[in-house]
Amino acid sequence: MEEKTIQSNFIRNIVINDLETGKHNKIITRFPPEPNGYLHIGHAKAITLNFELADEFNGETNLRFDDTNPEKEEEEYVRSIIEDVSWLGFDWERLLYASDYFDEMYERAILLIKKGKAYVDELSSDEIREYRGTLTEPGKESPFRNRPIEESLTLFQEMKEGKHPDGSMVLRAKIDMTSPNMNMRDPVIYRIIHADHHNTGDKWCIYPMYDYAHPLEDAIEGITHSLCTLEFEDHRPLYDWVVRECEMESIPRQIEFARLNITNTVMSKRKLKVLVEEGIVDSWDDPRMPTISGLRRRGYTPEAIKNFCRAIGISKTNSVVDQQMLEHFIREDLKLKAPRTMAVLRPLKVVITNYPKDQVELLEAENNPDNPEMGVRTIPFSREIYIEQEDFMENPPKKYFRLFPGNEVRLKNAYFIKCNKVIKDEEGNVVELHCTYDPETKSGTGFTGRKVKGTIHWVEASQAIPAEIRLYEPLILDEEEQEDKDFLENINSNSLEILEGFVEPNMVDVKPQDKFQFFRHGYFNVDPKHTTKEKITFNRIVSLKSSFKL
Ligand code: ATP
Ligand code: MG
C-alpha cells in the first residue's frame, strides 16, 4: 500500500514561497547520480524527494548522469541506475548526461580566463595542496596566478588539444587564497586526464571538476532547486560564484539536506564497491546489499521503499535511522498483498501411524486471513508430513507447548496430533517421529472437545517441493560506523544461512520476485538469480515480528 500523505519540510516551504512570490512559475529539479556504482537506499531518499517535490507542484525532474570523471564511470552503472529509478516508479522529464555539456563548459571556462577569473597553473598537485594553507592559515598565491591572460588561453587550448601530459597543469578559478572557506582558495576547475569516456570517447582529454561542472549543469537545464546532501554546504559559495562568473542566464539555488544513514549498514558507493570486489558479497544486487537492486532481489517493493523515504523526512541534521524502520514498511506493504503458505525450513519427518496408507486428502487453507478476498487454496495431507525440527523437543522445558513425547498439538489447517515414539539414528539424533492423529479434530469443523496450546506448521511429505531458503543477518556488525575503524573489520561473517527445506506443492509455478508470507517465519521472495526449473530459492525479506514502533 502506498501512503502518500505529504509531509512538509523546509525545502518544500522554500518551493511554495518561490511559487507564491513569482520567483518561479514552474520548478525543475534533478536527480544527478555519478555512474560510478549502483544506487543505494540513500539515493532513494534523494530520488523520492526530487521527483515528488516537482510532481506535487506540476514541475519537472531530470535524470542526469553526472559523468565528468571518466576513470570511474561505466555503462553498466548507467543501465542499472535507469532501471532502478524506473523500478521505483518515477518518470523523468529528460534523461541527460553532463558530458553533453562539455563544449559549453569549455566555452565558459574560456570566458572566465578572458575575464581574469581563471588561470592555468603549473604547480604540481602536491604543491597546490601545500599552497592552499589550512583552516587556520591563509593560502599562498601560485607564481602562475598572475600570468598574462593570453598565456592562459593558449595553454588551456593546448591542454584540450592533448599537448600536455596528465598532471602537468590545471585550470584554476581565481578567487581568494585567503578566504576562510577553503573551497574558495582558487579551486581547480579543469584537469588533464587522457582517458576514454563512456559517452564522449576520446574527444576530450581535459575534464571539469565537480564544483565547476555541477552548477553549470544545473543552470543549463534551468534547474530551479538543486538539492544535495549537507557535505556540500561549504561548496555553496563556489556554486554561486561559478553560476555568476560564467554569466549563466538561469540561476539555480542549491539547498542542502541531511543524508540518510541506516544502522548496521554502509552507505557509500565506494564502500559497497569494495564489498563486491573483495567477494564479501556476490554482486551489487546481493540481497544483503543496501542497493536498490539488492533490496529488490531481497523482496522489497517500491512502495515500501518510498513510504520509508517519506516517513524519515527531510532535515538539516544528520542522523542514523534504525534499519527496523525500513523493515516495518515492507511488513506493512506485504501484509495484505502476500499470500500465506506453509514452509518447513529445517525438516523433521513425522509418520502418522493411524492414518490410512495410500490416502491423501485435500484440506482447505486461507490464503490471507488479513485479506479474505485472496480466497482459499487446497493443500494435501497424508500419513507422512514434515514439521520444523525446532517444533519438537524430547525433554522440553516448562512452557514449551509444541510437540514432545506424550503431548498433543494442532497442525495448522489440519488435525491434532500426539507424539508417541521418537526414532533416532546411531548417534542419537532424532530423525523421525511417530504420531497419531484424531480425525474428530479436523480444522474448520468447529471441534471444541478439548484444547491444545501449540499450533505448528507442516508440509505433506510426498508432494512437498524441495526449496533452498536463504536467511539473512545484517552485513555490518556495528550499529553505527566508527570514524576510526575500517569498515572491513566490521563485517558479519554469518550474514547468510542457506537451508534446504520444503514448501507446499502449490508453489510449483512460482515466478521470480513472487512474494509470500511463510507461516511463522516471515516474508519471502523468490530469488530471480538462483531460481531455476529444478530448484526454487527463496530469500527471507524480513521476519514477522518486530519490537519497532513507528
Ligand atoms: P556515494 O558517496 O554513495 O557515492 P554520492 O553522493 O557520491 O554518494 P552521487 O551519485 O553523487 O553519489 O549522488 C546522487 C545524488 O544522491 C546526490 O544529489 C546526493 O546528494 C544524493 N545522495 C547520495 N547519497 C545519499 C544519502 N545517503 N542520502 C541522501 N541522498 C544521498
Ligand atoms: Mg560521489
Side-chain angles (χ1 to χ4, degrees):
M1 249 198 342
E2 210 163 320
E3 299 154 17
K4 221 173 163 182
T5 44
I6 292 169
Q7 277 204 23
S8 206
N9 59 62
F10 72 98
I11 299 178
R12 184 171 175 268
N13 292 339
I14 291 172
V15 166
I16 291 173
N17 190 55
D18 287 349
L19 290 168
E20 278 173 4
T21 58
K23 182 178 178 192
H24 300 292
N25 299 320
K26 177 169 160 183
I27 72 154
I28 307 182
T29 62
R30 86 289 175 260
F31 174 63
E34 183 180 357
N36 61 350
Y38 281 59
L39 297 181
H40 51 63
I41 178 87
H43 293 113
K45 174 177 178 177
I47 295 169
T48 306
L49 171 65
N50 277 292
F51 278 89
E52 294 197 338
L53 192 62
D55 194 48
E56 184 188 349
F57 299 101
N58 296 315
E60 295 173 0
T61 305
N62 295 339
L63 173 58
R64 179 211 307 148
F65 289 99
D66 204 341
D67 55 350
T68 54
N69 203 350
E71 287 162 313
K72 292 189 181 151
E73 295 157 4
E74 286 173 34
E75 207 46 50
E76 177 195 347
Y77 300 139
V78 170
R79 272 196 306 275
S80 74
I81 290 168
I82 291 176
E83 184 185 357
D84 289 350
V85 178
S86 318
W87 177 76
L88 283 172
F90 294 113
D91 289 325
W92 45 87
E93 186 67 26
R94 296 192 286 162
L95 194 151
L96 302 159
Y97 293 86
S99 53
D100 289 338
Y101 316 138
F102 280 168
D103 285 299
E104 175 156 5
M105 290 174 185
Y106 178 75
E107 293 304 325
R108 301 277 170 180
I110 290 174
L111 174 68
L112 287 182
I113 301 172
K114 285 184 176 161
K115 289 167 70 173
K117 299 283 183 179
Y119 59 98
V120 171
D121 194 358
E122 290 169 68
L123 288 183
S124 68
S125 55
D126 283 344
E127 286 165 328
I128 290 180
R129 205 171 309 124
E130 239 171 75
Y131 276 57
R132 185 170 291 138
T134 62
L135 284 173
T136 50
E137 282 167 59
K140 257 192 334 193
E141 294 189 354
S142 161
F144 300 99
R145 193 176 200 262
N146 293 312
R147 76 188 334 159
I149 287 175
E150 279 310 317
E151 208 175 289
S152 279
L153 282 173
T154 309
L155 287 170
F156 189 50
Q157 167 92 21
E158 289 177 11
M159 279 168 65
K160 181 191 178 223
E161 287 167 356
K163 293 193 174 148
H164 300 284
D166 289 11
S168 58
M169 52 186 74
V170 292
L171 185 70
R172 294 180 73 174
K174 194 171 184 177
I175 310 179
D176 180 3
M177 288 306 292
T178 62
S179 172
N181 183 338
M182 301 281 283
N183 296 303
M184 299 300 270
R185 295 184 186 172
D186 290 12
V188 172
I189 59 177
Y190 263 96
R191 69 245 198 262
I192 305 173
I193 306 177
H194 286 86
D196 250 24
H197 187 280
H198 78 103
N199 204 21
T200 56
D202 62 1
K203 175 171 175 195
W204 295 91
C205 61
I206 54 170
Y207 291 94
M209 300 296 285
Y210 178 89
D211 280 335
Y212 174 71
H214 205 84
L216 294 184
E217 295 158 25
D218 286 341
I220 291 168
E221 291 173 19
I223 302 300
T224 53
H225 300 83
S226 173
L227 314 181
C228 64
T229 36
L230 279 182
E231 63 272 23
F232 291 102
E233 196 163 15
D234 287 348
H235 298 238
R236 194 181 341 127
L238 178 54
Y239 181 100
D240 293 338
W241 184 94
V242 170
V243 172
R244 188 174 66 246
E245 295 301 340
C246 287
E247 301 177 15
M248 302 306 289
E249 236 169 80
S250 159
I251 300 177
R253 172 172 178 187
Q254 174 179 305
I255 308 170
E256 310 84 17
F257 63 95
R259 62 192 296 125
L260 170 66
N261 300 298
I262 300 185
T263 53
N264 301 91
T265 309
V266 284
M267 191 93 82
S268 120
K269 280 180 279 181
R270 185 179 61 77
K271 291 178 184 163
L272 297 175
K273 193 170 183 178
V274 172
L275 294 175
V276 178
E277 282 169 355
E278 299 281 315
I280 294 164
V281 295
D282 292 342
S283 52
W284 283 95
D285 69 352
D286 187 300
R288 291 167 291 182
M289 291 280 269
T291 50
I292 309 271
S293 52
L295 290 166
R296 172 166 65 234
R297 208 177 132 197
R298 177 82 169 255
Y300 274 83
T301 58
E303 291 74 20
I305 293 174
K306 286 188 279 187
N307 284 337
F308 168 76
C309 290
R310 291 167 190 143
I312 54 179
I314 302 297
S315 84
K316 272 269 185 199
T317 339
N318 278 320
S319 64
V320 183
V321 175
D322 195 322
Q323 52 135 352
Q324 292 192 54
M325 186 162 166
L326 182 58
E327 296 179 346
H328 165 85
F329 283 99
I330 188 65
R331 285 193 194 96
E332 278 287 300
D333 189 41
L334 292 182
K335 194 171 164 187
L336 299 182
K337 283 187 195 166
R340 309 290 206 265
T341 180
M342 293 194 286
V344 173
L345 309 194
R346 297 174 183 87
L348 172 62
K349 175 76 89 52
V350 171
V351 179
I352 299 165
T353 51
N354 62 338
Y355 195 88
K357 276 187 184 150
D358 304 325
Q359 178 175 314
V360 179
E361 71 181 296
L362 291 175
L363 301 173
E364 257 190 11
E366 270 185 296
N367 282 332
N368 190 340
D370 290 323
N371 183 3
E373 282 179 15
M374 291 180 77
V376 293
R377 68 187 183 288
T378 53
I379 48 176
F381 182 79
S382 77
R383 190 179 156 90
E384 294 195 355
I385 62 172
Y386 293 112
I387 65 165
E388 210 67 64
Q389 282 170 22
E390 63 173 28
D391 283 340
F392 171 79
M393 279 184 97
E394 195 170 15
N395 300 299
K398 264 191 189 160
K399 300 217 169 153
Y400 184 87
F401 299 123
R402 291 171 268 170
L403 211 51
F404 54 86
N407 191 40
E408 192 173 43
V409 295
R410 178 197 306 276
L411 291 178
K412 174 79 178 164
N413 300 315
Y415 299 95
F416 289 8
I417 58 167
K418 185 174 180 177
C419 177
N420 305 307
K421 193 171 169 194
V422 182
I423 317 287
K424 296 182 184 173
D425 64 12
E426 282 167 7
E427 282 147 30
N429 302 309
V430 177
V431 290
E432 195 174 292
L433 302 177
H434 287 184
C435 296
T436 46
Y437 87 117
D438 178 353
E440 299 286 302
T441 59
K442 184 171 173 174
S443 171
T445 59
F447 173 78
T448 52
R450 62 187 182 279
K451 286 208 164 82
V452 288
K453 282 201 166 142
T455 299
I456 65 173
H457 62 272
W458 55 277
V459 178
E460 195 275 332
S462 69
Q463 294 183 46
I465 299 177
E468 180 174 305
I469 291 152
R470 295 177 165 232
L471 306 182
Y472 301 101
E473 291 295 330
L475 200 53
I476 305 293
L477 290 169
D478 281 350
E479 263 198 15
E480 297 200 17
E481 278 198 84
Q482 324 274 312
E483 291 273 315
D484 54 349
K485 195 164 159 189
D486 180 359
F487 81 101
L488 288 175
E489 289 170 27
N490 218 342
I491 302 290
N492 177 5
S493 52
N494 296 314
S495 56
L496 167 65
E497 185 179 8
I498 301 183
L499 302 171
E500 299 293 333
F502 290 103
V503 295
E504 292 179 14
N506 303 305
M507 303 288 262
V508 65
D509 52 8
V510 294
K511 293 186 297 299
Q513 298 293 120
D514 281 352
K515 292 159 187 59
F516 298 92
Q517 188 194 106
F518 289 1
F519 186 65
R520 295 166 74 211
H521 285 305
Y523 291 100
F524 290 74
N525 185 47
V526 178
D527 187 282
K529 276 197 177 164
H530 292 300
T531 296
T532 59
K533 274 211 178 79
E534 288 73 43
K535 187 185 74 176
I536 312 173
T537 295
F538 291 94
N539 296 319
R540 177 150 73 185
I541 311 168
V542 67
S543 63
L544 284 181
K545 288 217 184 66
S546 151
S547 50
F548 186 75
K549 289 271 178 303
L550 199 64

